[in-house]
Amino acid sequence: MTENETEGLALLKHYADDADGRVILTKMAESIQVANQFERRHWTPTVRKMNGWTVNLRTGQIYAITLRRDEVEVLVVPDDLNAEERGALNAAARREYSPEHPSGSSRYTLDWEKAVELWESIESAHHEALRAKRAVSGSKNPEANALIDFLGRELDVELPYPDQGAGSTGRTAFRALARSLEERGLHFPVETVANYLLALQTKRFAILTGISGTGKTQIAMAVADSFRATIHDQRAEEPDGSAVAEDAVKLKAWPYHFSYRQIVLPVGFATRIHPFLIPEPSSNGGTISTAYPGGRTTLKWWRDPNPAKNVTWLMFAGAHDFRDWYLESFQPGDQYYISFREGERSEEHQIEFRLAEAGTVERELDNSAVVPVRPDWVDNRGLLGFFNPLTNEYSTTPFLSCLLDAQAEVERAEKDDRNPHPFFVVLDEMNLARVEHYFSDFLSALESGKPIPLHENESIEQGQTESDVAVPRKLRVPNNVFFTGTVNVDETTYMFSPKVLDRAFTIEFDRVDLDGYTSGASSHQTSDLSLDSGDGGLRLSYEKPRRKHWLRFRELEGGRFHNTLRELHGVLEEEHRHFGYRVANEIARFVLLARDQSADKDGAAKAAFDLALLQKVLPKFHGTQQELEDLLRRLFNFAVYGRDRGRGRNVDVTLDGWKIGRDGHLTPKRRDEPTGEPVVGDDPNVEPDPPEFPRTGAKIWRMLRRLEQRGFTSFIE
């Protein structure tokens, strides 16, 4: 947390702890909503040190509200006040200042009490000042989202985030996400939503299984929608004929321009200038004079010797001045114009680049793709497409297009010096085909970070085909893409192999709260796991779990979770069903993320550890009663007692003494419920303690029940 953020939040808390201060914060929140309705890009909250720390609502370059320790500055349009209101304001003001913009406005400095007393009379004039036309807010303010989060949480209101120029924040407030799910008619406990988001951040691949019709696909799409960002694209307008030759051609900047420092000239343009391009002896290339807004240089060109291809490259890797201009002026997707001027002599022929009159167009990123899995998929062509040698084209898919768009967003973000916005892929009914057949290459690429080979055609890589789509020869999965597979289990589907389950977080959707669905509010919304730490909005980003996370995890609560996991690993190792380093790192990362992003850090860490055991250790368990019963009973004891409570007790917990509560957790039966025998001990006046890991315990309880009834059990039901 930066110094500005720390001081700004402290000042807001100072206001929130006082009755008059809370009124002022409420009015500031209303002003934010008014400013946002008028123009989303001309306001932002800021923190500045100006004779002490201040929190400000800046509109354009003017502070519309400034909060200090004991006074408030408010921008108003005095002409909108009547004589009595203006007289009262002048009498109460400690200072008055009239800025140049907006015209006719003044900023008045008031103490807290006077600000609260006069606000109702000056509010309309203040809002008029907020609506005045002005320039887009200038610099970016990293603390803006944290200030918005504090106000929203403290006042229990939903506030927008400012658009700070490079596109929308790409963040979402967790409470706003949960509320939007309810508004869509999707009924999920808060913990389920938090669990899903943490799983994506930890592994980038989550498998959602459970009862059909519980909203598995819908929650994935709703999360994608909540992170849909607004970006600003450069769009080239038609060139001014006086400034550009008649043969000017519009070009688009492709990603390969930046990777390989070369441009493939459009076929029509290359054909027209072909007679003027004189190759050097024994070569298919040469040089040509090139003019551009940054100056003049000489670029190399080269023509493919195969006339059937008709491909001509313009290369600028060695022309450092032109290279720097191109890389600084454009990003993938930008447009510009190129033309040719014939000279009297061959050395005077010239290619000209021109920056068109560029308009900035605001658009929403299409950041998601739903891919229905087909039962006839036996390789990755259904996902990644294929090269068609008959048409010399690459047949793309929505899945591949989403990955290419995500890669373009990564490159935009690098140029804008910001984090890339997230993209989401949903593999619907993922197990209708054998996952290992069509997804194995992709799983390996996710794990190793190595690229997936797609084709070996140079023209396709450079977008010189009829489809005008550039497809790279190899595809490295961008880190800003998150994958979700939805699963139903019946006679038409296939089970997952341990390899797949080991590389995903497997989340069950098996709780159906009809009472809450009827009333419109969940019957069990309370949870220790709620990603509401107020760190400027929730941002989905991925960092591969590593040993450093395991070492940090070791220090949590004096090593409690670390020691418990080591003991559990020992129990599993005896049966040769233990997990590897990858799972250990992922459990550690999952718990650390939950703790960092939740207000109740200790409660969130404990809940997340329970969920991590459930979702990373148990999914690979499937087999017969002879294979699994003894081990599952040992694990059930472990889930009930935990490492500390179970040590030294030779107690075999009976299933009859436990039940699944309405929240889906394992809970002991009351003494007055029929159990057949006491739960723990023989004293009927002592109620048993709740289990140490109620989520993991509930799943093992169900697996053991199925084992007793059918002689076989598995995690995915």
Side-chain angles (χ1 to χ4, degrees), residues 586-624:
E586 289 167 0
I587 291 175
R589 176 73 170 147
F590 186 85
V591 175
L592 291 171
L593 283 169
R595 191 177 189 281
D596 291 343
Q597 296 178 9
S598 298
D600 180 4
K601 298 192 178 302
D602 293 340
K606 183 176 180 181
F609 184 66
D610 190 4
L611 286 167
L613 297 182
L614 168 66
Q615 295 164 175
K616 291 303 299 179
V617 175
L618 296 186
K620 291 185 289 184
F621 281 77
H622 64 278
T624 64

Side-chain angles (χ1 to χ4, degrees), residues 82-111:
N82 61 39
E84 182 179 352
E85 291 168 339
R86 188 183 304 181
L89 180 59
N90 288 330
R94 295 180 177 179
R95 293 181 298 277
E96 178 187 355
Y97 166 69
S98 297
E100 292 184 10
H101 302 286
S103 178
S105 65
S106 293
R107 192 162 64 232
Y108 295 87
T109 303
L110 306 165
D111 60 34

Side-chain angles (χ1 to χ4, degrees), residues 348-363:
E348 294 176 350
H349 300 328
Q350 180 173 280
I351 287 178
E352 295 183 350
F353 284 78
R354 180 178 182 272
L355 291 173
E357 295 296 330
T360 300
V361 178
E362 184 177 275
R363 69 175 176 93

Side-chain angles (χ1 to χ4, degrees), residues 232-446:
H232 301 96
D233 282 341
Q234 176 190 343
R235 286 290 182 266
E237 300 174 356
E238 291 302 318
D240 179 357
S242 63
V244 175
E246 292 181 358
D247 68 347
V249 175
K250 184 187 295 184
L251 266 67
K252 179 190 290 186
W254 290 100
Y256 80 87
H257 294 182
F258 304 88
S259 303
Y260 298 107
R261 310 294 200 264
Q262 61 186 23
I263 301 167
V264 174
L265 296 177
V267 174
F269 181 80
T271 300
R272 288 203 308 270
I273 69 173
H274 180 273
F276 304 99
L277 298 179
I278 310 300
E280 296 174 353
S282 303
S283 171
N284 287 311
T287 60
I288 188 167
S289 177
T290 303
Y292 62 100
R296 189 180 302 273
T297 189
T298 299
L299 297 183
K300 293 181 179 179
W301 62 269
W302 186 82
R303 185 183 299 117
D304 194 301
N306 183 352
K309 290 187 175 181
N310 194 18
V311 176
T312 303
W313 284 272
L314 195 63
M315 297 170 287
F316 54 89
H320 302 301
D321 50 354
F322 181 88
R323 178 200 64 191
D324 293 344
W325 169 81
Y326 194 93
L327 298 180
E328 291 173 4
S329 300
F330 304 116
Q331 59 185 13
D334 285 351
Q335 297 173 327
Y336 55 91
Y337 289 93
I338 186 172
S339 61
F340 177 77
R341 289 189 183 275
E342 180 184 353
E344 293 184 1
R345 295 174 298 177
S346 60
E347 61 268 21
E348 294 176 350
H349 300 328
Q350 180 173 280
I351 287 178
E352 295 183 350
F353 284 78
R354 180 178 182 272
L355 291 173
E357 295 296 330
T360 300
V361 178
E362 184 177 275
R363 69 175 176 93
E364 278 193 341
L365 276 179
D366 185 6
N367 70 335
S368 62
V370 178
V371 182
V373 173
R374 293 173 52 92
D376 59 351
W377 283 4
V378 293
D379 56 33
N380 66 13
R381 288 183 295 176
L383 288 180
L384 296 174
F386 59 93
F387 171 67
N388 187 336
L390 297 179
T391 61
N392 206 38
E393 294 271 1
Y394 195 91
S395 180
T396 61
T397 64
F399 183 92
L400 177 62
S401 296
C402 188
L403 297 186
L404 295 178
D405 288 345
Q407 181 58 42
E409 164 59 14
V410 169
E411 292 167 0
R412 271 193 302 269
E414 289 178 354
K415 184 171 182 179
D416 291 341
D417 192 25
R418 58 174 173 82
N419 292 315
H421 299 306
F423 281 66
F424 301 84
V425 174
V426 181
L427 298 171
D428 200 24
E429 302 284 2
M430 186 179 189
N431 58 334
L432 277 179
R434 288 193 180 276
V435 177
E436 296 79 7
H437 288 176
Y438 71 87
F439 206 57
S440 58
D441 293 346
F442 210 79
L443 284 174
S444 297
L446 277 176

